[in-house]
Amino acid sequence: MSRLLRGAAVGALALAALGAADAASAQTYGRIVAFGDSLSDNGNLFAVLGQPASPPYFQGRFSSGPVWIERLGFTVARVGGPVTGSIGYAYGGAETGSPALPPGMRNQLAAYVGAGGRFGASDLVTVWGGANNIFNNLAAAGASPSPTAAITPITNAAAADIGFITNSIAGAGAGTILVANLPKLSLTPQFRNTAAAPLADFAASGFNTALAAQLNTVAAARPGTNIILMDTFKIGDLIANNPGLFGLSNVTQPCFNGVTVCSNPESYFYFDGVHPTGRGHELIAALATDYLYYGDAGAQMAVLGETGYRHRERRLGEATAALSGREAWDTGTRVTVSAHYDTTEMDARGPVGEADSEGYGGRMAVETGLSPNWRVGLAGAFDIADIEAGAVVADVESIGLDVYGGWRSDSGMFVTAAAGIANENYDEISRLTGLAPVRHESETGGSSKGARIQAGAWLAAGGLSISPRVGLDWISTNVEGWFEVGPAAAYQYQERTLEVVSAEAAVRVEGDLGGFGFFAEGGYRDALDDSGDAVRTGIHGNPAQVLSRQVDTPYGGQLMLDAGLGGAITERLSFAVGYRGRFSDAADSHAGGVQLKLAL
């Protein structure tokens, strides 16, 4: 399983994520309409038959608290309430077909439409059922000569019912339909360690397979509706094997044994033989949140390519800077070794939250003067950054190679140019899922390329040398597509390219101070063209659509500030230390570095 926790800050995020559904739901979905069985029943069967007995059950729910659909940020009416608002039509004990009482799920949909209910683009519709079809036929199937052959038509028919219901809702104009499959039944107190457990799991697995096929077919036929399959089967073992992670102490026994209720229901996952407690429903709602908001949550991965872009931008700038100082050129060769440490803070931008990174890197370059007017160089560099961006943490490693050269007149005018490539590894990508504290880990790769040209002149001004200069950059960073593996929604990220053309104007000043040389440079850079792709996120192995989120590049409109000093250590060896700052409305970065230069 993936890494679950990453420090105390992650723990705080995990607690916050469980309560995040309210705000997110209100911003994204206008209302909820629910169809299903006891897992989604918010009191409908109780209103008709007085079941389940309340207490010990909570206000007509088959649980010790509100059910999961009520924990997604909506006030959900019961049957008979206004069909223009959030409403639940689920009934405890319902099968997927058309029984009269409890009303089957096909009948639920017909009753909703008959009451004037409609579906719109901002609606979230939930569909969860199929368990009662298995429960009501399992004993007979188990007593037959071929239990698996006997139960298979039951599960296939139930999946076909859900497919019909989903297709009907999509055809009526619903924007989003969340369909849940069945959990692992052998983990429930009713089936745990019983002879019926293997057949129950076979039935649930068969239903889930048939349901996935149904939903894929419907999704292909109804592209106007986003049909999301919520996989509850694969989280069963996670919760059963790690109850303490979710604040649970008992995941094997029912809190209510039919006679008495335990003293601490919220530390149990099951309230009775098959139904979750209020805490169990809270975890289901957290899982649903991970599926429902994957478009916005996935947009956070924009920071990966932006970090690769920043690395390439820095290295191209260093290449031309190496040839744009006031020092006259000669025909000799020199080797330069440098190292730096940097930090970057990025503000929230639309769906992308605040992000911070810190890192370090090194560079080695060899330069040769072809003449006093022409000089060329070759440099290799590496950069490493650790990113914390909301629910995402990641490591970015870049290895780059640059070639550069320049021309300089005897009067001090110069033109320099650089071009280079880099390979990026995006390692230990870790996302805090909606089912906190579970994290999904993944990794991917990418590459960057770019070119830069700079022109300027050196002018004498008393004891100082001043150089006005302009520059033009083109950088393209590509992040390969990848997907997560884990018990929550396994996000699948599409390949993304970030391509920017930017221009800058700056003034550099150099002089001598107490036996050391110093420099200071200030300027402004802005993007002339930003053609970066939107961040596109789907869910791996799921009929859910790929959603796009356009993200503004954080590095446009930058104020630039560089400063430092240096001097000779020996006749052939010199040093320099410096600071580099970049400031924009969306991001600030600071870097400090040291450089050693050896003349050969």
Side-chain angles (χ1 to χ4, degrees):
M1 193 184 67
S2 61
R3 174 175 48 188
L4 295 176
L5 296 172
R6 189 163 183 170
V10 168
L13 284 171
L15 294 175
L18 285 175
D22 288 355
S25 299
Q27 294 168 2
T28 307
Y29 301 105
R31 64 176 185 139
I32 188 171
V33 181
F35 303 99
D37 54 26
S38 55
L39 292 175
S40 304
D41 185 352
N42 60 328
N44 290 320
L45 189 67
F46 181 81
V48 176
L49 299 179
Q51 296 177 1
S54 302
Y57 289 90
F58 173 77
Q59 298 181 5
R61 281 78 167 168
F62 288 80
S63 181
S64 59
V67 296
W68 70 284
I69 61 169
E70 300 173 283
R71 297 175 181 270
L72 294 176
F74 303 95
T75 300
V76 186
R78 298 177 181 175
V79 172
V83 293
T84 54
S86 293
I87 191 166
Y89 264 74
Y91 281 85
E95 293 189 2
T96 57
S98 302
L101 192 66
M105 292 175 63
R106 286 193 183 223
N107 279 356
Q108 294 170 22
L109 176 58
Y112 170 77
V113 174
R118 299 293 183 265
F119 299 103
S122 65
D123 290 351
L124 167 62
V125 184
T126 65
V127 180
W128 196 1
N132 289 312
N133 299 59
I134 295 174
F135 296 159
N136 295 338
N137 292 277
L138 196 67
S144 70
S146 178
T148 56
I151 201 66
T152 296
I154 302 298
T155 57
N156 287 344
D161 285 334
I162 300 295
F164 171 85
I165 292 167
T166 303
N167 184 61
S168 299
I169 296 170
T176 303
I177 306 175
L178 180 70
V179 184
N181 67 7
L182 294 183
K184 192 173 184 179
L185 298 178
S186 63
L187 297 175
T188 66
Q190 178 171 316
F191 290 101
R192 179 180 288 272
N193 298 324
T194 67
L199 183 58
D201 276 351
F202 174 85
S205 296
F207 170 84
N208 290 347
T209 299
L211 177 65
Q214 288 281 337
L215 296 183
N216 284 326
T217 299
V218 174
R222 301 291 187 184
T225 300
N226 191 14
I227 298 171
I228 307 170
L229 173 60
M230 180 170 72
D231 192 344
T232 67
F233 189 90
K234 66 181 180 180
I235 68 168
D237 287 327
L238 169 69
I239 295 174
N241 295 331
N242 305 275
L245 290 174
F246 307 99
L248 301 170
S249 61
N250 194 318
V251 294
T252 62
Q253 298 172 312
C255 172
F256 175 49
N257 61 12
V259 179
T260 60
V261 177
C262 66
S263 60
N264 53 341
E266 297 311 287
S267 68
Y268 280 64
F269 185 81
Y270 294 102
F271 188 67
D272 58 21
V274 293
H275 297 113
T277 59
R279 174 58 179 162
H281 276 282
E282 188 176 0
L283 293 174
I284 295 170
L287 177 66
T289 297
D290 205 48
Y291 280 91
L292 290 172
Y293 304 106
Y294 65 95
D296 287 344
Q300 194 70 43
M301 293 298 179
V303 299
L304 300 184
E306 292 166 356
T307 302
Y309 171 92
R310 179 168 56 86
H311 289 169
R312 190 87 295 268
E313 180 187 66
R314 175 192 294 118
R315 295 311 184 185
L316 287 171
E318 288 176 339
T320 57
L323 301 181
S324 64
R326 67 170 178 171
E327 179 183 359
W329 294 352
D330 56 33
T331 57
T333 299
R334 62 190 181 189
V335 177
T336 302
V337 178
S338 60
H340 78 272
Y341 169 82
D342 71 272
T343 63
T344 299
E345 297 179 357
M346 289 181 278
D347 296 335
R349 296 161 286 140
V352 179
E354 295 181 358
D356 298 293
S357 75
E358 60 178 304
Y360 60 92
R363 178 177 182 269
M364 183 173 182
V366 178
E367 297 169 13
T368 298
L370 304 178
S371 73
N373 304 107
W374 293 93
R375 195 167 186 86
V376 296
L378 177 68
F382 74 91
D383 292 278
I384 295 175
D386 295 327
I387 302 171
E388 293 187 5
V392 174
V393 294
D395 296 337
V396 180
E397 300 175 357
S398 301
I399 298 177
L401 181 68
D402 294 291
V403 293
Y404 56 100
W407 168 83
R408 181 168 179 156
S409 72
D410 295 337
S411 63
M413 295 179 60
F414 63 87
V415 177
T416 60
I421 58 174
N423 180 75
E424 279 95 30
N425 291 320
Y426 300 97
D427 296 327
E428 298 186 32
I429 305 169
S430 180
R431 180 180 67 86
L432 180 68
T433 69
L435 189 64
V438 173
R439 301 192 72 95
H440 283 183
E441 288 192 359
S442 56
E443 62 181 29
T444 188
S447 61
S448 295
K449 54 188 176 182
R452 171 177 169 83
I453 186 169
Q454 185 183 53
W458 279 103
L459 308 172
L464 299 176
S465 297
I466 300 175
S467 173
R469 52 192 57 197
V470 293
L472 186 68
D473 290 63
W474 167 76
I475 299 172
S476 179
T477 298
N478 176 266
V479 181
E480 299 170 358
W482 81 101
F483 61 88
E484 306 169 341
V485 176
Y491 292 179
Q492 182 158 4
Y493 307 95
Q494 308 298 303
E495 181 179 4
R496 181 177 186 240
T497 298
L498 177 62
E499 186 169 343
V500 180
V501 176
S502 60
E504 66 182 53
V507 175
R508 184 180 180 93
V509 177
E510 294 191 17
D512 296 314
L513 180 66
F516 295 98
F518 73 89
F519 70 88
E521 182 174 332
Y524 182 78
R525 171 187 289 147
D526 205 352
L528 301 179
D529 178 63
D530 178 359
S531 56
D533 296 337
V535 182
R536 296 172 295 154
T537 309
I539 303 177
H540 183 61
N542 199 289
Q545 296 175 352
V546 174
L547 301 182
S548 296
R549 297 291 185 266
Q550 194 65 48
V551 178
D552 293 333
T553 305
Y555 304 125
Q558 291 182 326
L559 292 175
M560 306 183 298
L561 176 61
D562 295 354
L565 57 84
I569 300 175
T570 68
E571 182 178 349
R572 297 168 55 197
L573 181 65
S574 62
F575 80 96
V577 294
Y579 164 81
R580 178 183 186 272
R582 298 293 183 266
F583 311 93
S584 71
D585 291 338
D588 294 338
S589 65
H590 309 271
V594 59
Q595 175 182 278
L596 294 176
K597 186 184 302 182
L598 177 64
L600 300 181

